[in-house]
């Protein structure tokens, strides 16, 4: 190890290097010419020779510190411990000796081979890390969500090693993501990763995998970390941001590669049986456009080659279904550089948009919802009062109006509070189910934008239910039914998670506990009635209340979160919302608990706020009017953002829209020009029934017209000639029924109208008359 003075000097120099991580002029220059890239197989050797000096520098520090820690580990007392498996089985082990891997191996060879990570007393744990005392042990394989994350995180380390060995780059961060992993890095001289670099990187990774290098965990102090990564300003920045003075954290080593990492990891690189690179692109360090421009490489890996083959087939199918491609081909929507993240819906896309909204409005009518409209922009005082200014300001579009700060609304809830509170309310009015298809704006980073799935301007099927505490469970039960109806129309299945109090929250813990108990009971009742089992998602609630997150699964078995149900006791207090109570019902109200759920206490009217300025609390909140009570507010969305939901539907149906939702329901084609007048008459008749009917009376051949209609995914193609004209019939080809693609039985016009109207009104997914 260098002297203390040398360590201090290196830290000082590194600090100077991270004071401003702004993009240099050279880095802002956009795409590089191919000649200025990192180079492919023909322009550089597979690996740098000699290898980067920083590799040996890190290894020297690692070996020195590890030798000391191994000595300390050898002195740990060895005592008998009891290890309880998740099936209740008890294993006896020895502290600081027995590992999860040794227990898995003792049970069965197959269990050991398929296990990638352990969970000890709820915490993820390396398989080869010794157990320290009595504990509960879970052994997780690749199919477990946590197992996948760990496996792909370990694979990111292999990608990091390959990148350092090939480029001599400065690595940034390399996390697992939903389908694989990536690593961000800054290449020397601001070079760009070329597609020709992908195969060499895979070849180097395969070498590392073949070595079966063990992942070794080591604890380092902050000073040791800074010395180890003194040549990498990005790692130094992460150390300064994430490791407090006097504290320690871990690094992991595999082969010659060492990375700042909390872990855990798979036992060794040999667990990765199949590894590939998917794509590379430019990004910003930590996703902040004010930081350096860096290169990002995406990868994928699996514990067997068959899974990789299946995944590549899946990617091919997903590419065919990509909503951006289908949206362009079917002329549904487009984007323009003059309004990034804001979609332009074309006529055909608008038909889908409006039909979806009409469907939801029909359900609103059936379920006694009240639709409202609120302004798009508000004075910042509204957002300060709601708490969004403190928690959400950076994601809002803000501007000045006559020296006051204003913002475009990113959500409707504060505006709905103003609507509820604009006059006196009585318990007779509750529940009030206030719905709005409001235009919302959120200031998403440009790098996060992607088609319709992440936009800056969108419309949400927003509803806020204002009800009494006694009405909460019934309202949530009704919302579960609403979910079943809406998602069932599209063939979606759904799962639910209860997200509880986060670290930063508004209000008092007693109120949160009561709210979480109500949601938990509603979920348990839903499961008892035949609904799917739900999961607990600790610490992921909104800052103002717990929530139920609903995830749907599409035709490719991908999960998307669209719906949310959030219970909020806080905003009604912030906006002093109240209603006149039923005095007779209050006299007989339970005081202990009902159905195992603690009765609501006056704490729901408390003014404690864990994160806001107490003076502001006093400014906003006031005591209840005599004889009044606070309503409970339930936030809910089912499709969520219309834009995102339409993207999901596009890929779910692969552009083959159900008849009721389709912008191209019917195409009428003549056999010969003399039937053109009948073609136009048929179009008029069906349009009068509010169906989307197009005709093709161009000079193309009939077969070409039919083929064009098939490619455009018309649900039904009517082919009519002299016989159909004379008999007032149509010959119908069903997009999804190959047996109808030749001339078949003629269908009278009135029968076709009746059957197609019934199909549309039923909102069935199956395209059959």
């Amino acid at each position: 190890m260098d002297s203390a003075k040398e360590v201090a000097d290196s830290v000082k120099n590194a600090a100077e290097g991270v004071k401003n991580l702004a993009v240099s002029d050279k880095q802002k220059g956009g795409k590089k010419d191919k000649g200025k890239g990192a180079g492919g197989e023909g322009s550089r050797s597979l690996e740098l020779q000699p290898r980067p000096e920083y590799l040996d520098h890190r290894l020297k520090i690692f070996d020195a510190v590890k030798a000391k820690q191994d000595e300390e580990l050898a002195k740990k007392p060895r005592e008998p411990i009891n290890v309880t498996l998740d099936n209740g089985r008890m294993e006896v082990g020895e502290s600081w000796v027995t590992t999860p891997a040794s227990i898995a191996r003792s049970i069965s060879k197959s269990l050991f081979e398929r296990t990638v990570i352990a969970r000890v007393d709820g915490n993820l744990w390396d398989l080869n890390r010794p157990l320290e005392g009595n504990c509960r042990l879970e052994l997780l394989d690749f199919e477990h969500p946590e197992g996948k994350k760990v496996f792909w995180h370990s694979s990111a380390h292999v990608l990091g090693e390959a990148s350092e060995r090939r480029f001599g780059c400065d690595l940034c961060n390399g996390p697992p993501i939903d389908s694989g992993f990536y690593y961000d890095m800054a290449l020397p001289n601001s070079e760009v990763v070329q597609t020709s670099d992908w195969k060499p990187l895979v070849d180097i990774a395969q070498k590392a995998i073949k070595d079966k290098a063990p992942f070794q965990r080591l604890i380092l102090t902050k000073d040791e970390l800074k010395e180890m990564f003194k040549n990498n300003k990005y790692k130094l920045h992460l150390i300064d941001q994430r490791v407090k003075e006097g504290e320690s954290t871990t690094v992991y080593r595999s082969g010659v590669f060492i990375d700042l990492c909390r872990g855990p990891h798979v036992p060794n690189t040999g667990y990765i049986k199949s590894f590939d690179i998917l794509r590379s692109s430019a990004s910003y360090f930590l996703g902040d456009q004010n930081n350096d421009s860096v290169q990002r490489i995406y990868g994928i890996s699996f514990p067997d080659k068959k899974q990789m083959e299946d995944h590549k087939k899946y990617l091919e199918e997903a590419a065919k279904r990509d909503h951006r491609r289908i949206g362009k081909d079917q002329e549904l929507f487009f984007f323009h550089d003059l309004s990034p993240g804001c979609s332009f819906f074309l006529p055909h896309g608008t038909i889908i948009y409006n039909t979806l909204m009409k469907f939801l409005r029909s359900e609103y009518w059936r379920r006694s919802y009240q639709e409202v409209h609120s302004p798009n922009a508000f004075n910042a005082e509204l957002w300060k009062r709601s708490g969004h200014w403190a928690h959400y300001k950076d994601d809002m579009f803000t501007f000045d109006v006559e020296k006051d700060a204003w913002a475009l609304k990113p959500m409707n809830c504060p505006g709905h509070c103003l609507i509820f509170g604009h006059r006196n309310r009585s318990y007779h009015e509750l529940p009030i189910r206030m719905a709005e298809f409001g235009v919302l704006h959120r200031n998403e980073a440009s790098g996060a934008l992607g088609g319709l799935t992440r936009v800056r301007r969108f419309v949400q099927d927003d509803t806020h239910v204002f009800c009494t505490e006694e009405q909460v469970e019934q309202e949530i039960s009704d919302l579960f039914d609403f979910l079943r109806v809406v998602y069932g129309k599209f063939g979606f299945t759904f799962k639910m998670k209860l997200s509880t109090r986060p670290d930063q929250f508004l209000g008092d813990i007693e109120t949160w506990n009561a709210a979480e108990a109500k949601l938990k009971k509603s979920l348990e009742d839903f499961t008892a009635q035949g609904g799917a089992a739900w999961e607990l998602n600790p610490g992921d609630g909104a800052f103002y209340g717990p929530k139920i997150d609903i995830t749907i699964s599409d035709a490719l078995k991908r999960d998307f979160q669209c719906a949310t149900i959030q219970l909020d006791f806080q905003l009604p207090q912030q906006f002093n919302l109240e209603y006149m109570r039923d005095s007779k019902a209050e006299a007989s109200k339970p005081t202990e608990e009902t159905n195992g759920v603690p009765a609501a206490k006056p704490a729901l009217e408390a003014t404690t706020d864990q994160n806001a300025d107490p003076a502001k609390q006093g400014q906003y909140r006031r005591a209840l009017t005599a004889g009044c009570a606070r309503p409970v507010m339930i936030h809910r969305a089912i499709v969520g953002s219309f834009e995102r939901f339409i993207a999901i539907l596009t890929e779910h149906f692969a552009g083959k829209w159900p008849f009721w939702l389709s912008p191209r329901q019917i195409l009428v084609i003549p056999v010969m020009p003399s039937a053109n007048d009948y073609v136009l008459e048929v179009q008029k008749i069906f349009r009068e029934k509010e169906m989307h009917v197009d005709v093709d009376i161009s000079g193309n051949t009939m077969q070409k017209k039919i083929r064009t209609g098939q490619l455009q995914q018309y649900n039904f193609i009517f082919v009519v000639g002299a016989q159909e004209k004379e008999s007032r019939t149509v010959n119908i080809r069903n997009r999804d029924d190959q047996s109808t693609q030749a001339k078949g039985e003629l269908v009278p016009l009135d029968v076709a109208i009746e059957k197609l109207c019934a199909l549309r009104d039923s909102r069935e997914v199956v395209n059959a008359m």
Side-chain angles (χ1 to χ4, degrees):
M1 184 75 71
D2 294 337
S3 67
K5 183 177 184 303
E6 290 172 327
V7 172
D9 289 342
S10 67
V11 170
K12 180 179 179 182
N13 293 335
E16 289 295 323
V18 296
K19 278 184 178 178
N20 182 9
L21 289 170
V23 184
S24 67
D25 291 337
K26 181 183 288 186
Q27 289 169 316
K28 288 182 179 178
K31 294 183 179 179
K32 305 289 182 182
D33 295 333
K34 291 184 178 179
K36 296 182 181 179
E41 297 171 88
S43 61
R44 69 159 80 226
S45 60
L46 183 66
E47 299 184 45
L48 292 176
Q49 296 295 340
R51 69 189 188 190
E53 293 181 0
Y54 57 69
L55 293 179
D56 294 311
H57 173 73
R58 295 172 191 168
L59 290 170
K60 181 180 178 181
I61 295 174
F62 186 96
D63 290 340
V65 177
K66 188 174 189 305
K68 293 179 181 179
Q69 291 188 10
D70 285 346
E71 289 179 9
E72 295 172 0
L73 179 62
K75 298 175 183 177
K76 296 286 186 181
R78 270 51 174 174
E79 299 174 347
I81 59 173
N82 294 323
V83 181
T84 306
L85 301 179
D86 54 354
N87 62 1
R89 175 174 172 171
M90 181 81 73
E91 294 285 334
V92 177
E94 186 178 1
S95 63
W96 302 102
V97 175
T98 301
T99 65
S102 64
I103 290 178
R105 190 183 289 109
S106 70
I107 295 173
S108 76
K109 181 182 178 182
S110 63
L111 175 63
F112 169 70
E113 290 177 345
R114 69 174 180 269
T115 301
V116 298
I117 200 65
R119 191 153 54 189
V120 177
D121 292 333
N123 299 310
L124 291 177
W125 198 273
D126 297 291
L127 285 178
N128 289 328
R129 180 180 171 188
L131 300 172
E132 300 171 7
N134 296 334
C135 61
R136 186 172 186 85
L137 174 66
E138 298 172 78
L139 300 171
L140 312 179
D141 61 16
F142 177 78
E143 297 308 318
H144 191 282
E146 294 294 347
K148 274 193 174 71
K149 287 181 183 178
V150 169
F151 190 92
W152 284 335
H153 187 190
S154 300
S155 302
H157 277 229
V158 172
L159 173 58
E161 176 181 348
S163 300
E164 286 190 337
R165 287 167 62 176
R166 179 163 177 78
F167 303 127
C169 56
D170 289 336
L171 295 177
C172 303
N173 58 316
I177 52 178
D178 289 342
S179 57
F181 52 90
Y182 69 79
Y183 221 121
D184 283 348
M185 62 197 72
L187 273 60
N189 303 315
S190 303
E191 291 179 344
V192 175
V193 176
Q194 303 289 339
T195 55
S196 55
D197 287 307
W198 297 359
K199 184 179 184 302
L201 286 169
V202 171
D203 290 343
I204 300 171
Q206 294 295 356
K207 287 184 179 182
I209 291 168
K210 187 177 180 180
D211 289 342
K212 297 183 179 180
F215 280 90
Q216 298 174 284
R217 179 179 182 270
L218 189 67
I219 300 173
L220 296 180
T221 66
K222 186 170 185 177
D223 286 342
E224 289 169 336
L225 290 167
K226 285 190 168 184
E227 173 60 20
M228 177 176 277
F229 294 100
K230 67 180 182 179
N231 296 309
N232 186 325
K233 68 177 181 178
Y234 304 104
K235 296 295 183 184
L236 289 171
H237 180 78
L238 296 175
I239 292 166
D240 279 330
Q241 292 294 313
R242 299 176 184 179
V243 185
K244 296 179 181 178
E245 294 299 329
E247 292 187 354
S248 302
T249 192
T250 55
V251 296
Y252 275 79
R253 172 183 175 179
S254 57
V256 299
F257 181 70
I258 301 173
D259 203 4
L260 176 70
C261 178
R262 291 191 178 95
H265 287 280
V266 299
N268 64 67
T269 57
Y271 272 57
I272 303 166
K273 303 301 182 184
S274 190
F275 180 101
D276 205 358
I277 288 174
L278 299 177
R279 64 187 186 278
S280 58
S281 65
S283 183
Y284 292 108
F285 177 53
L286 300 180
D288 186 340
Q289 62 183 355
N290 296 314
N291 288 345
D292 282 2
S293 176
V294 295
Q295 293 294 292
R296 175 173 294 180
I297 302 176
Y298 291 89
I300 189 68
S301 62
F302 292 98
D304 71 62
K305 294 181 179 179
K306 176 66 166 55
Q307 286 175 297
M308 179 66 81
E309 293 172 4
D310 292 343
H311 183 73
K312 289 185 174 180
K313 290 178 182 177
Y314 159 82
L315 291 178
E316 290 175 6
E317 180 61 28
K320 294 176 185 176
R321 292 170 176 259
D322 191 318
H323 74 278
R324 291 164 294 189
R325 183 185 68 81
I326 293 173
K328 180 180 179 180
D329 291 346
Q330 295 189 359
E331 295 187 310
L332 304 179
F333 61 86
F334 73 94
F335 289 87
H336 198 282
D337 290 343
L338 293 179
S339 189
C342 302
S343 56
F344 291 75
F345 270 83
L346 296 167
H348 286 105
T350 302
I351 288 171
I352 297 170
Y353 208 102
N354 290 341
T355 304
L356 182 59
M357 192 175 290
K358 181 180 179 181
F359 167 48
L360 291 173
R361 280 196 166 115
S362 69
E363 287 296 319
Y364 284 175
W365 178 260
R366 193 166 70 85
R367 298 169 188 272
S368 300
Y369 279 60
Q370 302 173 21
E371 199 168 336
V372 298
H373 289 289
S374 61
N376 283 339
F378 288 92
N379 190 293
E381 284 303 312
L382 176 80
W383 309 110
K384 292 176 183 177
R385 183 170 188 169
S386 68
H388 289 96
W389 199 253
H391 294 267
Y392 207 81
K393 179 184 175 184
D394 291 343
D395 296 313
M396 299 167 70
F397 285 102
T398 60
F399 53 96
D400 290 338
V401 177
E402 298 178 347
K403 299 183 180 180
D404 285 341
W406 281 58
L408 293 176
K409 65 177 179 182
M411 64 279 296
N412 291 307
C413 29
H416 289 186
C417 287
L418 296 182
I419 293 174
F420 182 95
H422 88 283
R423 66 168 175 80
N424 294 334
R425 301 283 182 178
S426 165
Y427 74 92
H428 290 295
E429 298 179 69
L430 304 185
I432 295 175
R433 304 179 185 100
M434 194 179 296
E436 179 173 6
F437 296 111
V439 176
L440 306 177
H441 290 83
R442 295 183 183 175
N443 192 11
E444 301 283 358
S446 59
L449 301 176
L452 293 177
T453 58
R454 197 73 175 267
V455 292
R456 288 173 171 164
R457 185 267 188 200
F458 59 97
V459 171
Q460 198 168 43
D461 67 321
D462 224 354
T463 290
H464 296 96
V465 180
F466 297 91
C467 62
T468 68
E469 291 174 46
E470 294 77 15
Q471 293 169 336
V472 167
E473 290 179 23
Q474 183 59 52
E475 288 301 309
I476 292 177
S477 177
D478 291 345
L479 289 175
F480 290 162
D481 178 69
F482 205 157
L483 290 171
R484 280 197 186 100
V485 170
V486 172
Y487 292 155
K489 287 298 179 187
F490 306 107
F492 290 133
T493 58
F494 64 91
K495 299 176 288 188
M496 297 194 288
K497 291 182 180 180
L498 173 58
S499 299
T500 56
R501 186 179 68 250
D503 292 335
Q504 299 294 318
F505 62 93
L506 191 69
D508 59 272
I509 292 178
E510 197 171 46
T511 300
W512 274 84
N513 290 341
E516 289 174 5
K518 286 181 179 293
L519 290 183
K520 183 177 180 181
K521 184 176 186 305
S522 296
L523 286 165
E524 289 173 343
D525 290 345
F526 174 75
T527 301
Q529 294 166 9
W534 57 278
E535 299 176 26
L536 187 64
N537 187 22
D540 201 37
F543 70 86
Y544 49 76
K547 61 178 180 173
I548 298 172
D549 292 320
I550 297 94
T551 303
I552 60 175
S553 182
D554 74 353
L556 293 182
K557 307 301 180 186
R558 298 174 297 184
D559 290 338
F560 301 93
Q561 184 188 325
C562 294
T564 184
I565 299 171
Q566 301 174 0
L567 199 55
D568 187 354
F569 290 101
Q570 306 303 328
L571 280 185
Q573 295 180 61
Q574 287 294 93
F575 286 88
N576 301 304
L577 305 183
E578 58 186 30
Y579 63 90
M580 186 63 68
R581 294 183 296 196
D582 180 355
S583 57
K584 292 181 180 179
E586 286 295 314
S588 59
K589 188 176 181 180
T591 56
E592 294 300 324
E593 60 177 50
T594 302
N595 296 324
V597 178
K601 299 180 179 180
L604 300 183
E605 300 162 15
T607 59
T608 304
D609 181 342
Q610 301 297 321
N611 304 294
D613 182 352
K616 291 292 185 183
Q617 288 290 336
Q619 173 186 338
Y620 294 131
R621 298 186 180 187
R622 65 169 186 264
L624 279 167
T625 304
C628 290
R630 297 268 185 242
V632 178
M633 188 176 183
I634 302 174
H635 306 247
R636 85 101 184 100
I638 292 182
V639 306
S641 156
F642 270 69
E643 284 73 8
R644 184 167 180 268
F645 196 70
I646 288 173
I648 293 169
L649 289 176
T650 303
E651 298 185 3
H652 178 60
F653 293 121
K656 294 184 176 181
W657 298 98
F659 185 74
W660 70 274
L661 197 58
S662 177
R664 294 179 172 88
Q665 294 176 326
I666 301 168
L667 175 65
V668 190
I669 295 172
V671 175
M672 73 287 287
S674 60
N676 285 356
D677 58 340
Y678 184 55
V679 165
L680 295 173
E681 182 186 357
V682 170
Q683 179 189 35
K684 180 180 179 182
I685 291 171
F686 278 83
R687 280 185 59 83
E688 287 175 352
K689 297 297 181 180
E690 298 185 357
M691 293 187 197
H692 304 296
V693 188
D694 296 319
V695 301
D696 188 347
I697 53 176
S698 67
N700 292 327
T701 65
M702 183 183 76
Q703 289 305 320
K704 185 173 183 179
K705 293 175 184 179
I706 291 173
R707 181 56 182 159
T708 300
Q710 291 171 335
L711 292 174
Q712 292 175 333
Q713 303 297 345
Y714 280 90
N715 297 75
F716 298 98
I717 297 177
F718 293 177
V719 181
V720 298
Q723 183 181 2
E724 289 81 6
K725 179 178 180 180
E726 182 178 347
S727 61
R728 306 289 293 172
T729 59
V730 288
N731 180 38
I732 301 178
R733 295 176 181 234
N734 183 335
R735 179 193 65 196
D736 300 338
D737 185 352
Q738 287 300 313
S739 67
T740 66
Q741 299 309 307
K743 184 171 181 178
E745 181 181 351
L746 300 183
V747 180
L749 274 179
D750 57 347
V751 174
I753 291 171
E754 180 183 355
K755 288 186 175 182
L756 289 178
C757 283
L759 176 61
R760 178 196 61 198
D761 296 343
S762 70
R763 297 193 176 99
E764 292 293 332
V765 172
V766 178
N767 196 60
M769 294 175 59

